[in-house]
Amino acid sequence: MLSRAFSKPIRSPKDGERSERWSRMGLDQFGIGGVMEDMPLSFCNRNHDHDGGRIGRCKKCPAHPTVREVLGSSVGVMGESPMAMTEKVVLSTGKRVYGVKRFRKVGIGNMEFVRRVERVARVSRNCEYLVPLSAYLYAKRMKFVVSDYYPMGSLADLLAGARNLGHTALDWNQRFQIIVDTARAIAFIHSQSPNLSNDTNKYIQMNVHGNIKSSNVMIDVDFSARLSDYGFVQLVDRLELATDTWQIKPPPPSPSPSPSPSPSPESLFSEKLCQKSDVYNFGVIILDTLGGSRAVGLKNCILENKEEIRDGKAEFFEFSVKGKERKQAFKVLEIGLSCLDSLTDARPSMDLVLKSILEDI
C-alpha cells in the first residue's frame, strides 16, 4: 500500500470529555481561557458578508472548527520543524478533517498577522495548485492556521514510505504529475506582484514562496499535488528558521576548475527571500523525486555521466522507466540540474522551467 500521512498518535479523550475538559485545558494553557462560550476562528473569506467573516456563525455554509474543537480534536502530529508543528484534527462528528499548523514564534503583531494571512488566503484561492487556508487564530500564546487535510500526506512521506517502509513506490507518471503541479504552483506565486502599494499589505512579499521542500508538497488521492506553506516564512521570527532547510542555497562558485564541494551547514540558508532560491529548491525536489535524497549531493557525478544515464548504461532513476518515458524522465532531470546552477543568474525562471517541462516533453 502507498504510504498515507505519517502522524504520531496522541492520547485521545473519551467522547464525553472531548468538548469540555480537554478543550478547556487547551484554552487555559494558551492564555485564551475563561470564556463562557467557544471562541470562533477567523475565516479566510471576506466574501461571506452574511456571517461577518467568522467561522462557526454561518448557517449557509458547512460547519467549521472553533478554537475548542481544534484544541480538543487533534489526533496526531504530522510534522515538526523549527518554524511550526503540523497536526491532524478530526472534528468530533468525524465528518471533517483539517490540518492545523501551530507556529512556534510569530515575529509580527496581531494586525499585521491578520493582513498577511488574509492576503495569502485570497491569492491561494486563485490557484488550484496551492493549499487553501480555511481559518486562523492569533492569541496571546498561540497562533495557528487551519487548512485542508490530505490523507496521502506529503511527497516526502510517500518517498520515505517507499524507501524505508517498503510501501509501493510512485511510478513515473505519478512523479511527473507531482513535479508539474509543483512547478505550476511556484510559477503562479512568482507571477504575483512583489509588493503591494497600499499600506495594509505592503509588508509581505507575495511573489516568493520561501520554503520549497518535499514535505510542503501535499498529495491528493489522485496524485495531484498542492504546495503548502506559501507566505508562512514571513509570519514567523526569522530566528526560528536558523536550523531549518527552509531555503537552501548552493555554495559560492569554486574559483578553480575542480568540482565545487558540497554545501556546508552554514551555507545552506538564504539570507533573503528571492525567486532564484525557490528555483534552486525546486531543483532539489526534482532530483530527490527522480533519484533519491542523495541525488542532490551527487550533482557533479550526474553531470559527468549524463550520457550514460540517458542511454540507460548508468543507473540513476529509483523507479523502473524505459523507452519514451526514460527520455521524458531524463529531460526532467536536465531541467532539475539547470535549476541547481550555483550561479544565481544562470538558473531559469519558473515560467521557463514550466514551459520546458510541458512543451519539450
Side-chain angles (χ1 to χ4, degrees), residues 292-313:
S293 57
R294 297 181 58 188
V296 177
L298 301 174
K299 174 189 170 184
N300 293 323
C301 180
I302 296 169
L303 290 171
E304 293 172 0
N305 296 277
K306 280 178 59 177
E307 289 74 15
E308 288 79 4
I309 295 174
R310 180 193 60 198
D311 299 334
K313 297 178 181 179

Side-chain angles (χ1 to χ4, degrees), residues 63-316:
H64 293 284
T66 60
V67 173
R68 188 181 302 249
E69 288 177 309
V70 168
L71 294 175
S73 303
S74 176
V75 298
V77 177
M78 296 190 295
E80 293 185 74
S81 74
M83 182 175 72
M85 177 174 67
T86 306
E87 298 174 88
K88 175 183 177 181
V89 170
V90 181
L91 300 191
S92 56
T93 60
K95 296 181 179 180
R96 301 298 297 271
V97 184
Y98 293 93
V100 175
K101 186 174 289 288
R102 299 195 194 191
F103 298 108
R104 299 189 187 280
K105 188 175 181 181
V106 169
I108 53 179
N110 186 4
M111 294 296 292
E112 189 60 30
F113 180 88
V114 171
R115 293 188 187 108
R116 296 188 185 191
V117 172
E118 289 281 358
R119 177 61 180 165
V120 168
R122 285 195 295 270
V123 172
S124 297
R125 284 197 299 271
N126 294 325
C127 180
E128 62 181 303
Y129 305 105
L130 291 174
V131 173
L133 300 183
S134 300
Y136 58 90
L137 175 75
Y138 188 104
K140 181 178 180 181
R141 298 181 184 178
M142 177 173 59
K143 291 87 178 170
F144 63 73
V145 293
V146 181
S147 63
D148 291 350
Y149 170 73
Y150 296 86
M152 296 294 286
S154 68
L155 174 60
D157 292 335
L158 294 181
L159 295 176
R163 294 165 184 167
N164 305 324
L165 303 176
H167 296 169
T168 303
L170 296 169
D171 62 29
W172 163 241
N173 290 327
Q174 292 164 343
R175 293 172 197 251
F176 180 65
Q177 179 176 354
I178 291 169
I179 289 172
V180 170
D181 289 352
T182 305
R184 284 172 168 154
I186 302 173
F188 174 83
I189 292 171
H190 287 189
S191 71
Q192 301 302 303
S193 299
N195 293 299
L196 302 179
S197 59
N198 57 72
D199 291 339
T200 59
N201 291 304
K202 67 180 181 180
Y203 300 108
I204 183 168
Q205 191 173 347
M206 297 300 299
N207 67 337
V208 177
H209 184 284
N211 199 7
I212 306 287
K213 54 185 179 181
S214 59
S215 58
N216 284 338
V217 177
M218 309 309 297
I219 311 301
D220 215 333
V221 292
D222 61 353
F223 294 99
S224 61
R226 285 181 179 254
L227 187 61
S228 70
D229 283 35
Y230 170 39
F232 288 0
V233 297
Q234 298 183 71
L235 301 178
V236 301
D237 192 324
R238 188 60 59 91
L239 295 176
E240 297 299 306
L241 304 172
T243 58
D244 190 16
T245 54
W246 65 279
Q247 196 69 86
I248 299 175
K249 69 174 182 178
S254 174
S256 65
S258 59
S260 298
S262 298
S264 59
E266 63 270 16
S267 69
L268 286 176
F269 315 102
S270 175
E271 292 83 4
K272 62 180 181 179
L273 295 171
C274 64
Q275 293 186 349
K276 293 297 186 177
S277 289
D278 279 352
V279 172
Y280 185 90
N281 283 273
F282 179 65
V284 172
I285 288 179
I286 288 180
L287 263 66
D288 183 13
T289 304
L290 298 182
S293 57
R294 297 181 58 188
V296 177
L298 301 174
K299 174 189 170 184
N300 293 323
C301 180
I302 296 169
L303 290 171
E304 293 172 0
N305 296 277
K306 280 178 59 177
E307 289 74 15
E308 288 79 4
I309 295 174
R310 180 193 60 198
D311 299 334
K313 297 178 181 179
E315 292 298 328
F316 170 76

Side-chain angles (χ1 to χ4, degrees), residues 180 183-184 187 349-359:
V180 170
R184 284 172 168 154
S349 67
M350 279 308 302
D351 280 340
L352 181 58
V353 168
L354 184 58
K355 180 180 179 180
S356 298
I357 294 176
L358 296 179
E359 290 186 358

